[in-house]
């Protein structure tokens, strides 16, 4: 039976404004998940969103929408980001998913019945207008951090989890299982900062914040943070239901990968909850370091303050591609430690490793096979000169990378693959194929050299599959080799003579760092100006000035000329040879319409199917790229140019009028 591998990221707060620091945990997990899958293991990779709590409740209220209506687009944005970064998760769990909520209720009930959850009074600093409790450390100059008003010491009835009871068991867990919490330094932090002094019980319910899971045994109370969030790791597997096959197969998790600031919850609170439930604890928690900018944790506010650095993953992928961003995150930060992010470091990595080392090796190999052998792989020859060294390195590569990945050392795994790439480049210099090509007597040797290079390229491309998802596939395809090849294909000498070798355009074109830095700076300035403009309130209607931002005022009769209807996208495909256009078939009432929209950079054709949209139905039909368009689908656009479909907030049947 195949070995199983269950790996999780933390579930993300739906804060929006994502930066590359957010991508770090998930990209590492993705590389690990892909690596284990390629080893033939049965992998389950979980990620998702942590949606309950006061912050969401308040933000939604501020906008006069339900918490769900506030969160949904943010979750969609996060999913888009994962798609952009080729994240191969098996489930995206939301803490608002029905099965998760039911599971959390069962967990609370069991812990309540076993006496691990009890009722007591929570005492804290309370801000009456904000209806919020704050801890001493959260206060700003002794006042409410949200509204700046006075806070008062108040008591609230709450339920508590008996965390204190589990301190000795957790200390023993660390002692008996040195692998449980990694890197080692995190164990010392947990022991010295928390466990030594003894643990205090954890407040796990609130009556003031209602955007949470209602407790089954006391309906006034709603879950408060960590039990709800942490339980996602087992609720996703059907824990406690009749449908618990996944739980039985995959639990305990092999790895919870988390940022260092949430190690305490994963390495102390979570095992205590599991012990209280009588379930096994995860095999390993890994607390990785942070991406820093100017020495501080990259965060929403820091990102804005850090003028001159682009940290928006959407824009970074648009400029440099999925692989470049993945590579930087996986390679640059020494694993377990913090690492500094600058655009310059990113560009240097792209140029040095991807464009120079990998890109050159691939294009030189392809070009020489095209020039000298008409694009057909020559035959393998006897081992001569530096061949042995190159072949030995290729043959030893898997074991090295496997050991690194086993130790969760992803940067070293990549360094090992790139050592072979460098060796192969050096091999070209040593064997000088351009000189061999001039001498007809050396034709076989030239063929053998190029064969060895093609094999080195192939082996590196297979090894790179978990890390560089797009480039590895493109390279393997160019060698007429299976782009989904597993590690069982790594034997040197696998490619058959005569295999077509295609010349492809450079996979990582070299970037002019100075020019690119200047462009990024300009882009950031423009974007900043746009954001400022968008944030400016429009003039109030009462002073007689028009509310519009530039367009002339119109009368209600002008508006009435528009015919807007709700439609349902029943089919969608890309318009051939167009980067921007999608061709939708939209059902409006009982009629179908053909509509072309410029949204292919924001939605995939598959995503569009089933969407309920608003269509301008009395626009004069036109042909776009040869395809008939009988209407226009409405979208909202943010300051960064991201589009979001406009959709009726409640279920309105297709054909419904929009007024
Ligand atoms: N919702 C909690 C986790 C609950 S898990 C049961 C949470 N969410 S988060 O959105 O704030 O963070 C998600 C992940 O992003 C965490 O692993 C966090 O460490 C990571 N990062 C956010 N900023 C980061 C950096 N600047 N650098 C590296 N990772 C960082 O915490």
């Amino acid at each position: 039976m195949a070995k199983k591998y269950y790996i999780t990221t933390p579930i993300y707060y739906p804060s929006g404004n994502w930066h590359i620091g957010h991508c770090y945990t998930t990209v590492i997990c993705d590389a690990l998940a892909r690596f284990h899958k390629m080893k033939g293991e049965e992998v389950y990779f979980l990620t998702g969103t942590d949606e309950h709590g006061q912050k969401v409740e308040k933000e939604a209220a501020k906008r006069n929408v339900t918490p769900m209506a506030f969160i949904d687009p943010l979750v969609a944005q996060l999913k888009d980001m994962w798609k952009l970064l080729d994240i191969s998760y098996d489930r995206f769990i939301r803490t608002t998913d029905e099965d998760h909520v039911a599971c959390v209720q069962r967990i609370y009930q069991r812990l309540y019945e076993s006496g691990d959850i009890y009722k007591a009074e929570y005492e804290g600093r309370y801000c009456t207008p904000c209806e919020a409790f704050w801890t001493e450390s959260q206060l700003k100059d002794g006042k409410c951090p949200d509204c700046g008003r006075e806070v008062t010491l108040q008591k609230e009835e709450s339920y508590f989890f008996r965390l204190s009871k589990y301190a000795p068991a957790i200390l023993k867990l660390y002692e008996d299982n040195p692998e449980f919490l990694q890197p080692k330094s995190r164990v010392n932090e947990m022991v010295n900062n928390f466990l030594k002094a003894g643990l205090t019980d954890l407040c796990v319910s609130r009556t003031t914040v209602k955007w949470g899971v209602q407790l089954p045994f006391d309906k006034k109370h709603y879950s408060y943070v960590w039990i709800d969030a942490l339980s996602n790791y087992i609720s996703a597997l059907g824990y406690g239901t009749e449908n618990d096959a996944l739980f039985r197969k995959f639990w305990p998790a092999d790895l919870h990968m988390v940022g260092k600031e949430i190690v305490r919850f994963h390495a102390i609170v979570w095992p205590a909850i599991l012990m209280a439930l009588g379930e096994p604890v995860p095999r390993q928690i890994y607390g990785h370091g942070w991406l820093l900018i100017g020495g501080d944790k990259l965060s929403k506010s820091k990102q804005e303050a850090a003028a001159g650095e682009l940290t928006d993953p959407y824009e970074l992928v648009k400029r440099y591609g999925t692989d470049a961003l993945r590579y930087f995150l996986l390679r640059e930060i020494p694993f377990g430690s913090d690492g500094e992010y600058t655009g310059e470091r990113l560009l240097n990595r792209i140029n040095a490793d991807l464009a120079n080392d990998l890109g050159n090796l691939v294009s030189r190999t392809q070009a020489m096979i095209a020039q000298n052998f008409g694009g057909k792989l020559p035959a393998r020859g006897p081992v001569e000169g530096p061949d042995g060294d190159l072949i030995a390195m290729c043959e030893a590569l898997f074991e090295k990378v496997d050991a690194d990945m086993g130790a969760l050392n992803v940067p070293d795994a990549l360094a090992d693959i790139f050592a072979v790439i460098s060796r192969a480049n050096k091999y070209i210099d040593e064997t000088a194929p351009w000189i061999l090509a001039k001498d007809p007597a050396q034709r076989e040797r030239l063929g053998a050299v190029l064969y060895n290079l093609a094999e080195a390229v192939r082996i590196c491309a297979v090894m790179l599959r978990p890390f560089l998802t797009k480039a590895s596939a493109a390279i393997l395809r160019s060698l007429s080799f299976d782009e989904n090849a597993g590690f069982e294909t790594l034997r040197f000498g696998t490619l058959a003579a005569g295999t077509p070798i295609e010349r492809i355009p450079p996979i990582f074109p070299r970037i002019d760092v100075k020019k690119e830095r200047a462009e990024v700076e300009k882009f950031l300035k423009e974007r900043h100006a746009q954001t400022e403009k968008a944030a400016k309130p429009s003039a109030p209607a009462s002073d007689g000035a028009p509310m519009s931002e530039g367009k002339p005022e119109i009368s209600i009769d002008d508006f009435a000329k528009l015919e807007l209807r709700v439609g349902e996208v029943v089919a969608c495909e890309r318009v051939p040879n167009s980067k921007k256009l999608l061709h939708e078939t939209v059902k409006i009432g009982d009629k179908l319409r053909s509509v072309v929209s410029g949204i292919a950079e924001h939605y995939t054709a598959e995503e569009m199917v089933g969407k309920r949209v608003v269509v301008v139905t009395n626009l004069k039909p036109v042909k776009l790229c040869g395809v008939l368009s009988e209407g226009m689908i409405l979208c909202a656009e943010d300051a960064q140019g991201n589009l979001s479909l406009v959709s009726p907030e409640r279920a309105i049947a297709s054909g419904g009028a929009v007024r």
Side-chain angles (χ1 to χ4, degrees):
M1 217 172 64
K3 206 173 148 200
K4 67 95 184 167
Y5 187 71
Y6 180 30
I7 180 168
T8 68
T9 74
I11 44 174
Y12 284 68
Y13 293 127
S15 60
N17 213 345
W18 313 105
H19 55 70
I20 59 163
H22 286 119
C23 306
Y24 186 57
T25 321
T26 303
V27 168
I28 293 169
C29 287
D30 184 66
L32 284 161
R34 285 174 186 270
F35 185 81
H36 282 266
K37 240 175 241 174
M38 279 181 72
K39 275 179 77 180
E41 294 173 22
E42 211 172 330
V43 173
Y44 199 83
F45 172 19
L46 180 72
T47 190
T49 36
D50 186 357
E51 303 182 6
H52 290 128
Q54 191 178 20
K55 218 169 170 177
V56 168
E57 192 174 67
K58 284 180 128 190
E59 289 298 316
K62 249 195 237 168
R63 292 164 176 79
N64 219 1
V65 294
T66 62
M68 242 356 199
F70 169 66
I71 299 168
D72 275 347
L74 297 173
V75 174
Q77 243 184 48
L78 185 65
K79 283 187 173 175
D80 273 357
M81 186 161 93
W82 295 153
K83 192 181 260 176
L84 216 59
L85 286 166
D86 263 348
I87 304 299
S88 58
Y89 56 77
D90 292 286
R91 176 166 174 186
F92 186 102
I93 189 169
R94 300 180 56 172
T95 51
T96 48
D97 285 345
E98 243 172 66
D99 63 337
H100 174 78
V101 170
C103 182
V104 171
Q105 285 179 326
R106 280 194 303 275
I107 290 174
Y108 267 93
Q109 184 72 39
R110 273 189 61 179
L111 297 179
Y112 180 61
E113 282 167 13
S114 66
D116 277 303
I117 281 182
Y118 63 93
K119 188 148 77 174
E121 266 186 341
Y122 174 83
E123 196 178 52
R125 306 277 164 183
Y126 190 70
C127 172
T128 313
C130 294
E131 293 180 28
F133 272 101
W134 302 106
T135 59
E136 286 297 332
S137 63
Q138 286 172 319
L139 298 178
K140 245 195 218 149
D141 303 325
K143 300 202 170 122
C144 170
D146 259 13
C147 70
R149 276 180 268 217
E150 292 294 337
V151 288
T152 51
L153 198 60
Q154 279 197 25
K155 287 181 179 167
E156 186 192 20
E157 177 191 284
S158 289
Y159 285 91
F160 284 79
F161 171 63
R162 259 181 233 289
L163 185 61
S164 54
K165 176 173 144 190
Y166 292 94
I170 289 172
L171 278 167
K172 184 159 176 351
L173 171 69
Y174 294 175
E175 271 166 31
D176 295 349
N177 301 282
E179 293 298 304
F180 175 74
L181 179 56
Q182 289 289 324
K184 281 261 160 318
S185 55
R186 309 272 181 244
V187 177
N188 302 336
E189 277 167 40
M190 292 302 114
V191 174
N192 296 334
N193 301 351
F194 306 107
L195 287 156
K196 251 192 197 159
L199 298 170
T200 47
D201 290 349
L202 193 71
C203 174
V204 293
S205 86
R206 281 279 200 260
T207 51
T208 44
V209 180
K210 298 196 165 29
W211 182 239
V213 177
Q214 196 171 36
L215 303 200
F217 47 85
D218 191 340
K219 302 254 172 349
K220 268 201 335 253
H221 285 259
Y222 292 82
S223 63
Y224 176 62
V225 292
W226 288 93
I227 293 191
D228 174 18
L230 291 161
S231 303
N232 92 88
Y233 300 130
I234 53 176
S235 71
L237 304 179
Y239 173 66
T241 67
E242 280 176 8
N243 255 335
D244 66 348
L246 285 176
F247 179 77
R248 279 185 278 121
K249 183 184 228 170
F250 287 106
W251 193 255
D254 295 272
L255 178 64
H256 290 319
M257 176 71 72
V258 300
K260 63 180 181 181
E261 80 283 14
I262 49 174
V263 163
R264 174 158 74 104
F265 301 101
H266 285 81
I268 295 178
V269 178
W270 183 221
I273 294 172
L274 287 162
M275 286 171 188
L277 289 170
E279 300 298 344
V281 298
R283 291 194 211 286
Q284 192 166 65
I285 316 281
Y286 194 97
H288 67 67
W290 289 335
L291 234 69
L292 306 177
I293 198 158
D296 290 328
K297 184 184 179 204
L298 182 54
S299 66
K300 202 171 141 186
S301 53
K302 193 67 199 171
Q303 173 191 9
E304 283 152 6
E309 290 302 358
L310 189 58
T311 59
D312 165 6
Y314 297 92
E315 191 56 32
L316 288 166
V317 169
K318 203 156 104 193
R319 283 172 181 270
Y320 316 122
T322 303
D323 282 341
L325 195 55
R326 284 176 67 105
Y327 183 74
F328 175 80
L329 290 171
L330 295 170
R331 177 77 196 263
E332 183 78 11
I333 294 108
F335 208 46
S337 321
D338 296 341
E340 189 70 26
Y341 167 74
T342 65
E344 191 151 347
R345 281 176 101 126
L346 170 65
L347 295 178
N348 288 341
R349 269 286 173 206
I350 298 175
N351 278 343
D353 298 3
L354 300 179
N356 267 10
D357 291 355
L358 176 62
N360 275 343
L361 173 66
V362 172
S363 53
R364 288 205 284 178
T365 304
Q366 290 170 346
M368 290 188 290
I369 294 175
Q371 282 154 11
N372 298 293
F373 294 91
K376 293 266 185 295
L377 186 69
R380 194 175 175 182
V383 175
E384 274 180 37
D387 301 2
D389 193 30
L390 177 68
I391 296 170
M393 274 183 86
C394 287
E395 284 176 338
L397 184 57
F398 173 75
E399 248 176 67
K400 280 189 169 174
V401 173
D402 192 33
D404 294 328
M405 293 299 268
L408 301 180
N409 195 339
V410 186
D412 275 11
L414 277 169
D416 285 334
I417 302 173
F418 274 78
V420 176
I421 293 170
S422 296
R423 181 65 191 88
N425 274 320
K426 189 169 152 221
Y427 177 82
I428 298 181
D429 299 338
E430 289 165 344
T431 53
W434 53 93
I435 295 175
L436 296 176
K438 287 188 188 140
D439 181 356
Q442 295 285 354
R443 185 143 176 91
E444 269 183 27
R445 177 63 189 149
L446 172 65
V449 164
L450 297 183
Y451 182 91
N452 291 339
L453 282 169
E455 268 298 74
V457 168
R458 183 186 68 82
I459 286 167
C460 289
V462 172
M463 288 307 304
L464 281 171
R465 281 194 52 218
F467 313 97
L468 305 182
T469 53
K470 298 202 189 305
S472 57
I475 298 170
L476 290 171
R477 276 198 304 271
S478 77
L479 301 175
S480 309
F481 203 72
D482 179 8
E483 62 184 90
N484 297 314
F487 294 137
E488 70 285 355
T489 65
L490 287 174
R491 194 181 51 84
F492 195 97
T494 296
L495 278 175
T499 303
I501 307 293
E502 199 198 337
R503 250 181 122 160
I504 53 172
I507 26 179
F508 297 103
R510 220 189 135 71
I511 302 171
D512 180 334
V513 177
K514 225 170 136 192
K515 204 167 133 218
E516 177 61 17
R517 294 289 286 164
E519 272 178 28
V520 165
E521 199 179 315
K522 188 166 153 247
F523 169 83
L524 286 170
K525 272 195 189 134
E526 282 169 10
R527 181 147 90 171
H528 185 66
Q530 261 182 23
T531 319
E532 298 271 284
K533 192 176 151 210
K536 259 199 200 130
S538 14
S542 56
D543 66 2
M547 293 273 288
S548 69
E549 282 195 39
K551 288 193 183 169
E553 205 173 28
I554 59 167
S555 70
I556 189 79
D557 295 336
D558 292 329
F559 178 74
K561 285 183 193 157
L562 279 177
E563 188 182 78
L564 301 168
R565 297 224 174 269
V566 174
E568 187 191 342
V569 180
V570 291
C572 184
E573 58 188 12
R574 289 194 77 115
V575 172
N577 303 324
S578 164
K579 261 169 72 183
K580 294 203 168 148
L581 298 180
L582 288 183
H583 175 203
E584 300 95 5
T585 305
V586 186
K587 186 166 165 278
I588 299 172
D590 56 0
K591 297 215 168 56
L592 294 179
R593 274 190 191 231
S594 162
V595 178
V596 176
S597 347
I599 52 175
E601 284 167 327
H602 306 270
Y603 288 89
T604 61
E606 300 83 66
E607 251 179 314
M608 287 297 290
V609 177
K611 287 261 190 286
R612 220 153 265 271
V613 291
V614 174
V615 188
V616 186
T617 45
N618 62 337
L619 266 187
K620 195 171 167 191
V622 285
K623 274 200 167 174
L624 295 170
C625 274
V627 184
L628 176 69
S629 185
E630 307 167 296
M632 185 168 99
I633 291 180
L634 296 190
C635 282
E637 185 178 13
D638 70 9
Q640 285 81 47
N642 299 309
L643 297 187
S644 166
L645 292 170
V646 172
S647 187
E649 195 233 339
R650 293 197 181 146
I652 297 270
S654 90
V658 179
R659 295 185 291 211

